[in-house]
Amino acid sequence: MSDPTDATAPLTPADAPVILGDVPGSFPWSVLTERHPALIRKVRDAFPYGPERQRALDALLKSSAGGVVEPLGPEARDRQRWEEWGGPEYYGRPWLDLPFLWSESYFYRRLLDAVGYFGPGPWQGVDPFRPFKLTELDTPEADAELAALDELAGRPAAEQEEALLLGSLWGNRADLGFRLGAGDDGAATDSQLVVNDGEMLRSLFAGGTLCVVADNSGRELVPDLLLIDHLLRGRRVERAVLHVKPYPYFVSDATTADVLDALRRLKAAPGEAGASGHRLWSAMTDGRLTVRAHPFSCAPLPWAGMPGDLRREFAEADVTLMKGDLNYRRLVGDRHYPATTPFARTTACFPGPVAALRTLKSDVVVGLDPRTEAALDAAGGGSWRTGGTHALIQVRR
C-alpha cells in the first residue's frame, strides 16, 4: 500500500477498495434496498401506467430488492454500450455485490426500460421524473431566490461572483449563497465548507472556455445558469459548455429539456432574473453557451475512463466545473479513500484543470486536512459525509 498523503504516488486497489452495496446499514445498502424501491413506487403513482408498464415496474422492484442483475434486451439500442461498460462482468450477480456506482447507474437505466422511455410506444421519451423536476421550479422559495438577484446586482462584481459561486455550490440551498448580510448565515455557510478553494477557482476564470458538468435540474440548475451568465457578461469567460445527461437519470439530473425549462423560468421572472434569462437565451443562439449531452455522461464509470472526444474537449477548456455528488464520485473514483488523500492525486487522470463543487451526500471524500476530518467526526460521527449539510470547493490546476 502506498502513502495515501503522497500526491505523486500512483494509486493501487489496496489504497482504496471500490465501494460496494453489501454492508447492511451502510449508505449504499440503504440506497439500494430502501431508496430505490421507494422511488419505483413514487414513479408508479406519478403516472397512469397501464398493465404492461405496471408489470415491468413490479419485475424491477422484485429484482432490485433481492434478485440479480439482468442484461438489457436484444432490442435495446445501447446494449452494446453497456456491455462495453462492464455488463458481462456483472450480469447474473446480486445487485448488492456490485460496485455501488455501477449498480446505482444501471438501476436507472432499467427503470427507464420499465416505464417504456426508449419505446416504441406511447411512453417513449416521457421523462418519469418530470413532475418532480417542474415542482421545484414553481415554489415560493424559488421566487425568493430569484428576487434576491435584484439586491445582489448592486454589489461589486467580485462580491456577486462569490455569491453566485456559493449559490451554484449549494444548489437547492442557494438562498445561502444570495444572503448578503454577514452574521450567523454567512458564518454557518463558511463553517460547513470542509474545503474552500474558491479563490483559486476564480483565478481560473481568465477569458477562455468554461465547461460545466451539470448535476441536478430545477432549483439546482438555475444557480448554475446564473453563474454562467455572470461569467459571460463580465467577460470572465468567452464561451461556456454545459454538459447534461442525454436521458433522465438519478431522478433529478439535468437534461436538455430541463435546461430549457430553467431558462423559460428565468425569462418569465421579473427584474434581474428575467434579464439573466434573456441573456442566456441569446448566448445559446449565438454560440457563447452550448449544451452537450454525451452518452458517457450516463456511464456507470469514473470520468477517468472517458472516450477520446470528451477527453479532448475537457483538455481544451480553461477549467471544468464538476457539479454535485455523483460527478464527484466519478471524478475521484467511488472508493474508500482515506479522507486525507490529496485531491490532485485522485484527479490526476483528468485531462485539464478541474474543480469540484459538491454538497456531501455519499461516503467518498478526499483532500481534507486531518484536523478538519477529526473535528467533523467528533461533532457528528460520519453523518457529515452523507447528510448534505456540508460542502466543498476543490481545485486541481
Side-chain angles (χ1 to χ4, degrees), residues 90-121:
Y90 301 128
Y91 297 150
R93 295 171 58 183
W95 289 83
L96 292 172
D97 291 350
L98 305 187
F100 179 45
L101 179 62
W102 202 96
S103 59
E104 192 177 17
S105 298
Y106 194 62
F107 168 83
Y108 284 97
R109 175 60 184 83
R110 294 312 305 255
L111 180 58
L112 292 180
D113 260 351
V115 299
Y117 180 84
F118 291 111

Side-chain angles (χ1 to χ4, degrees), residues 58-347:
D58 287 340
L60 179 60
L61 180 61
K62 182 178 179 180
S63 169
S64 62
V68 298
V69 173
E70 299 176 357
L72 298 174
E75 76 287 349
R77 62 182 183 182
D78 55 349
R79 180 186 173 110
Q80 179 62 36
R81 183 176 295 147
W82 277 92
E83 291 186 353
E84 293 171 357
W85 288 345
E89 181 180 353
Y90 301 128
Y91 297 150
R93 295 171 58 183
W95 289 83
L96 292 172
D97 291 350
L98 305 187
F100 179 45
L101 179 62
W102 202 96
S103 59
E104 192 177 17
S105 298
Y106 194 62
F107 168 83
Y108 284 97
R109 175 60 184 83
R110 294 312 305 255
L111 180 58
L112 292 180
D113 260 351
V115 299
Y117 180 84
F118 291 111
W123 294 103
Q124 185 176 35
V126 177
D127 184 346
F129 313 126
R130 185 167 173 78
F132 320 134
K133 294 175 177 179
L134 291 179
T135 297
E136 276 214 349
L137 286 173
D138 188 22
T139 63
E141 292 82 4
D143 292 338
E145 289 160 8
L146 295 181
L149 288 169
D150 293 337
E151 184 178 354
L152 186 63
R155 298 302 180 99
E159 192 172 327
Q160 292 182 42
E161 187 167 293
E162 182 176 7
L164 291 167
L165 186 62
L166 287 174
S168 179
L169 167 67
W170 285 107
N172 63 10
R173 295 177 61 192
D175 57 314
L176 290 173
F178 293 141
R179 286 177 183 164
L180 304 176
D184 292 341
D185 289 332
T189 303
D190 289 342
S191 69
Q192 291 163 339
L193 280 172
V194 300
V195 180
N196 186 1
D197 292 339
E199 185 174 347
M200 186 188 305
L201 173 56
R202 291 191 293 275
S203 73
L204 297 177
F205 300 145
T209 297
L210 166 70
C211 286
V212 178
V213 183
D215 184 32
N216 292 329
S217 57
R219 286 176 60 206
E220 298 198 26
L221 180 60
V222 166
D224 298 340
L225 291 169
L226 294 174
L227 175 63
I228 289 171
D229 172 55
H230 168 85
L231 296 174
L232 287 172
R233 187 185 187 194
R235 305 297 291 272
R236 300 278 282 146
V237 302
E238 289 297 318
R239 177 173 176 264
V241 182
L242 181 63
H243 287 258
V244 298
K245 302 298 190 297
Y247 50 79
Y249 192 63
F250 276 66
V251 183
S252 56
D253 280 25
T255 65
T256 302
D258 299 320
V259 174
L260 298 177
D261 285 337
L263 287 176
R264 292 189 182 102
R265 175 68 174 89
L266 283 170
K267 287 179 65 181
E272 290 294 325
S276 181
H278 285 281
R279 286 193 298 267
L280 286 163
W281 195 276
S282 295
M284 286 192 68
T285 63
D286 65 27
R288 288 178 297 126
L289 170 59
T290 57
V291 177
R292 284 268 275 142
H294 196 285
F296 193 78
S297 293
C298 287
L301 304 171
W303 284 106
M306 73 182 80
D309 61 332
L310 204 52
R311 179 170 294 275
R312 287 188 294 273
E313 184 168 336
F314 289 140
E316 292 169 359
D318 289 73
V319 62
T320 296
L321 301 188
M322 289 284 180
K323 285 294 314 297
D325 197 76
L326 176 60
N327 279 321
Y328 189 86
R329 292 164 59 193
R330 296 186 67 193
L331 177 63
V332 306
D334 205 33
R335 294 175 171 270
H336 290 288
Y337 292 109
T340 54
T341 305
F343 179 70
R345 184 183 180 193
T346 58
T347 59

